[in-house]
Amino acid sequence: MDQPPSGMKNRDLKGFGPFQVELADHLNYNTSLRLATLWGYPRSFIGSLKSENADVGLMMVDKMAERGDITSDDISTLTNALRQCKLDGVATEVEKIFRENTSQTDLTKSETNLQRRDEQKAMRQWEEHGNALSTLLQATEDLGRKLELPTPTGSRTDTLAKRHRERKEVERELLHLRSSSLEAIDTTEAFIHDNSAYLSAQQHSETRNRIRELRKSVDRLLELSRKELEDLTNQLLELRAATPPQVEAVEPIDLNCVTIEATDSKEKHQSIVDQLKQASDKGSPIRRLILNRTFATIHENGNINLSSGLILPFISTLAVLVVRTEAGRVLSEAEFSGLLKYGSKSTRIQEYRFRHCDLPSLTGTSSREVLQGLQKRGAKVKWVNTTHCLNTSSGFWEMDSIDEIRKNCTLGVAMYEHWREESHALQIKMLQFASENKIPIRFVNLNRCYSSITSDGSNIILQSGQSLPAMSSVKIINITTEDGRLIPEDEFARLLDYANRSQAIKDLRFQRCELPPTLSASTISSEMKSKNFKVSWLDTGHRLNLHDRTWGCSYVIGT
């Protein structure tokens, strides 16, 4: 092996470069992640640290040097941050290797140089925030041009329908842009607040104007888009009402997945029902049938009454039946068992899936026959919203697999006002399991089922009487009350404390209620301020500033 020349052994190499190499060895993934999060490094950079082949230490050192968090004669920003992260041992070791490599005993610059460094860093970050706002403004202008596109040619009904589809797509893009804009505005306003001493009056004004222009542009386009969508919808309804019914061309169904939609016409429902019957009579397998808000009742002969008034006859070759009801609908035991009995008429039934509804356990005498039929077929019954499966022996619900729980929590969880106490208990049990196993819960939506909060802020009491404890892995809590409910300051403070108990909390949202306009100093703890999660009053478009306890109109209504 080649040896380094005399006098050039590695231990003799000194300077800022060798210090950075040694520093990289002391920055493992967890330490780097904590520092990057503390300093608010871009999400793209934090994501790159997770790459399988990433040299985390060197990546972190390069980023710190680029942003001025370490320099050839000052590492105080780094060591202070390490101690703030409770990594005193690492901070001491870093100071040691800095002294050894630079022969410095004073690890900080002079006060003047420190101020100059902070000013330079603030200027770089100001430019970054400005560029981000400019990019979003350009995206807003691009979407604005889409709204100005000429009306497509064709018959009047086709024209309106095509334009309606285009406007729906633009609105989806606008909602995504709004979300990105609000995040950029929040981070920029926080930057201005923290660095106001380094920014000139002109820079303050320029940034505020960009923020104002971005908000105004997004609001204006959303208003235009929604107004045109409303006008187009009304025109389509008027045109269809004035147009004599025509025989629609039969559109062949895909037997792998057939959906009967609530928004489809009665004629289309009839076409689908006829084709399902024909396929069943021929023995053709029907992989999945979805009733999307079209289940009305069980007919006296056991068939399904659809919302359009038509009857869906038995299908002997159906494998999976999916029933999606209106949000929060409560199915009786007779309706639930009737749907199971309907599916059991198929010799190929494998699974039932229920969404958005409240389901009972099957404990009645009349349900015994249904359970026996399920056991005979070996069919599974899944209650997707609560991530539970029906035990076909006992008739009670049991929690599904952890993979299904993780999938459901990724989408978000909702509970509704008219649900049975047992149903709320099942949902709470699943949420507690997810939280205990550190499964991220995207949101918990309490839809008109919130009753009160305990005196210590540790549990929410639902209208069913069930108690929902604080969960450490929930990101968003949305509380929708009955219209106009007044939440006094002491109750509001306890709800803030409840949200604060989650390590992952990002946003506490309120709808349909009246919140206290002013808050005392004791309402918001220092821990809440350090987490700086959002508190959004969706009806008014206001967001609470946890630092000065004031409501500010800092986002678009409906976020």
Side-chain angles (χ1 to χ4, degrees):
M1 180 183 294
D2 293 338
Q3 297 294 324
S6 176
M8 290 295 289
K9 292 183 179 179
N10 289 340
R11 65 174 180 269
D12 295 328
L13 293 174
K14 302 293 183 182
F16 188 55
F19 161 71
Q20 292 182 79
V21 174
E22 284 195 59
L23 174 60
D25 294 335
H26 288 76
L27 299 178
N28 59 26
Y29 172 74
N30 288 330
T31 301
S32 299
L33 184 61
R34 291 166 75 175
L35 288 172
T37 304
L38 176 66
W39 284 330
Y41 279 9
R43 290 183 180 179
S44 57
F45 176 77
I46 293 176
S48 67
L49 294 177
K50 301 177 182 179
S51 174
E52 185 176 347
N53 299 318
D55 191 329
V56 174
L58 285 176
M59 289 173 62
M60 195 64 190
V61 168
D62 286 345
K63 196 68 175 177
M64 287 190 293
E66 174 191 327
R67 293 172 66 98
D69 294 320
I70 58 171
T71 66
S72 59
D73 52 4
D74 177 24
I75 60 167
S76 60
T77 300
L78 170 60
T79 54
N80 290 338
L82 288 170
R83 290 190 169 92
Q84 189 174 344
C85 293
K86 311 298 183 185
L87 298 171
D88 296 52
V90 178
T92 300
E93 184 63 24
V94 168
E95 288 172 343
K96 178 183 175 184
I97 62 174
F98 184 71
R99 289 191 188 97
E100 292 174 349
N101 281 279
T102 63
S103 301
Q104 289 196 39
T105 55
D106 181 7
L107 303 184
T108 64
K109 291 182 178 182
S110 67
E111 185 176 343
T112 302
N113 286 338
L114 278 175
Q115 184 175 358
R116 185 181 300 115
R117 183 208 63 185
D118 290 341
E119 288 176 355
Q120 291 171 347
K121 183 177 179 180
M123 290 304 100
R124 286 197 302 271
Q125 292 180 338
W126 177 75
E127 290 179 0
E128 291 173 3
H129 285 292
N131 290 336
L133 293 175
S134 297
T135 300
L136 289 166
L137 276 169
Q138 182 60 53
T140 305
E141 292 177 8
D142 293 341
L143 282 176
R145 283 190 285 272
K146 284 189 177 182
L147 283 174
E148 297 169 358
L149 290 174
T151 302
T153 58
S155 66
R156 181 166 170 74
T157 304
D158 290 344
T159 298
L160 289 173
K162 183 175 181 180
R163 187 142 185 120
H164 189 274
R165 288 193 299 271
E166 290 174 349
R167 290 299 172 266
K168 288 292 290 183
E169 180 59 34
V170 171
E171 185 179 47
R172 279 192 288 271
E173 292 182 50
L174 276 169
L175 290 173
H176 178 73
L177 177 62
R178 179 184 65 180
S179 177
S180 300
S181 299
L182 293 177
E183 184 176 343
I185 288 171
D186 281 348
T187 56
T188 302
E189 287 183 331
F191 165 77
I192 292 174
H193 179 271
D194 296 339
N195 296 272
S196 58
Y198 304 120
L199 301 179
S200 66
Q202 182 179 349
Q203 288 171 322
H204 271 280
S205 176
E206 183 178 332
T207 305
R208 293 293 182 190
N209 287 338
R210 282 182 179 175
I211 290 174
R212 194 179 300 111
E213 184 182 354
L214 181 57
R215 278 206 192 102
K216 185 176 179 181
S217 297
V218 174
D219 285 353
R220 181 180 62 82
L221 289 181
L222 271 172
E223 182 64 26
L224 285 173
S225 176
R226 287 170 176 170
K227 185 178 185 304
E228 186 171 2
L229 272 173
E230 184 179 350
D231 291 343
L232 287 169
T233 301
N234 291 335
Q235 290 178 51
L236 277 170
L237 290 174
E238 291 174 3
L239 188 61
R240 285 169 178 168
T243 304
Q246 299 178 356
V247 178
E248 296 183 8
V250 175
E251 182 180 344
I253 59 176
D254 179 2
L255 297 182
N256 287 314
C257 185
V258 182
T259 303
I260 303 180
E261 295 276 3
T263 53
D264 287 338
S265 65
K266 184 175 182 178
E267 289 75 22
K268 187 166 184 177
H269 282 191
Q270 186 66 65
S271 171
I272 294 173
V273 168
D274 291 343
Q275 292 182 74
L276 286 171
K277 186 69 171 63
Q278 292 170 9
S280 176
D281 292 342
K282 292 178 181 177
S284 302
I286 300 169
R287 178 71 187 89
R288 182 185 301 250
L289 172 61
I290 301 173
L291 303 182
N292 194 8
R293 294 179 293 124
T294 49
F295 167 67
T297 58
I298 295 294
H299 192 269
E300 58 185 13
N301 64 4
N303 289 333
I304 290 176
N305 288 323
L306 299 176
S307 57
S308 59
L310 299 176
I311 295 176
L312 181 65
F314 294 120
I315 301 170
S316 61
T317 57
L318 179 63
V320 178
L321 175 62
V322 180
V323 179
R324 297 175 184 159
T325 69
E326 304 79 9
R329 175 174 173 178
V330 178
L331 294 185
S332 66
E333 185 167 349
E335 289 175 317
F336 182 38
S337 60
L339 284 164
L340 298 178
K341 191 180 295 185
Y342 170 88
S344 293
K345 296 290 184 180
S346 169
T347 57
R348 304 184 186 185
I349 193 69
Q350 298 172 5
E351 186 174 278
Y352 302 80
R353 299 178 71 87
F354 293 85
R355 291 179 178 271
H356 308 314
C357 52
D358 177 31
L359 299 174
S361 297
L362 294 181
T363 56
T365 306
S366 59
S367 298
R368 289 291 95 195
E369 180 185 347
V370 176
L371 292 173
Q372 290 170 3
L374 292 171
Q375 293 178 54
K376 182 180 178 181
R377 300 288 189 197
K380 297 179 180 179
V381 182
K382 291 179 174 286
W383 187 0
V384 179
N385 295 81
T386 63
T387 326
H388 278 70
C389 295
L390 188 70
N391 184 316
T392 56
S393 297
S394 66
F396 290 103
W397 293 99
E398 297 177 345
M399 204 178 302
D400 209 334
S401 70
I402 191 169
D403 288 337
E404 289 296 319
I405 291 173
R406 185 175 288 108
K407 185 189 303 181
N408 204 23
C409 288
T410 300
L411 297 173
V413 177
M415 287 185 275
Y416 298 90
E417 60 176 327
H418 298 304
W419 278 20
R420 302 171 180 86
E421 181 180 354
E422 295 78 10
S423 303
H424 281 166
L426 289 175
Q427 194 77 300
I428 291 169
K429 181 182 176 183
M430 185 275 290
L431 288 169
Q432 285 182 289
F433 177 86
S435 184
E436 290 166 2
N437 286 274
K438 296 181 173 54
I439 296 173
I441 304 168
R442 183 185 174 195
F443 68 78
V444 173
N445 184 14
L446 304 182
N447 197 329
R448 296 175 182 264
C449 60
Y450 166 78
S451 175
S452 61
I453 178 102
T454 55
S455 59
D456 63 353
S458 63
N459 286 263
I460 282 177
I461 308 302
L462 303 179
Q463 289 182 355
S464 64
Q466 285 291 321
S467 178
L468 177 64
M471 295 155 291
S472 62
S473 63
V474 66
K475 296 181 179 181
I476 298 173
I477 301 170
N478 189 83
I479 298 175
T480 302
T481 69
E482 56 275 18
D483 289 346
R485 171 170 174 170
L486 177 65
I487 296 182
E489 184 177 353
D490 62 332
E491 183 179 358
F492 183 64
R494 282 178 276 132
L495 286 167
L496 290 176
D497 183 41
Y498 177 89
N500 188 54
R501 293 169 187 259
S502 170
Q503 301 303 312
I505 190 68
K506 299 293 184 185
D507 201 351
L508 174 62
R509 300 175 177 178
F510 293 89
Q511 283 184 283
R512 307 293 176 87
C513 55
E514 291 293 330
L515 300 177
T518 58
L519 302 169
S520 60
S522 60
T523 303
I524 300 172
S525 67
S526 57
E527 184 183 357
M528 293 179 197
K529 293 177 182 177
S530 65
K531 281 189 179 178
N532 200 30
F533 60 88
K534 298 171 185 175
V535 181
S536 307
W537 191 354
L538 300 188
D539 300 303
T540 65
H542 285 76
R543 182 167 286 156
L544 181 64
N545 185 318
L546 295 177
H547 295 279
D548 61 16
R549 308 187 309 281
T550 60
W551 293 99
C553 190
S554 60
Y555 74 106
V556 183
I557 295 176
T559 301

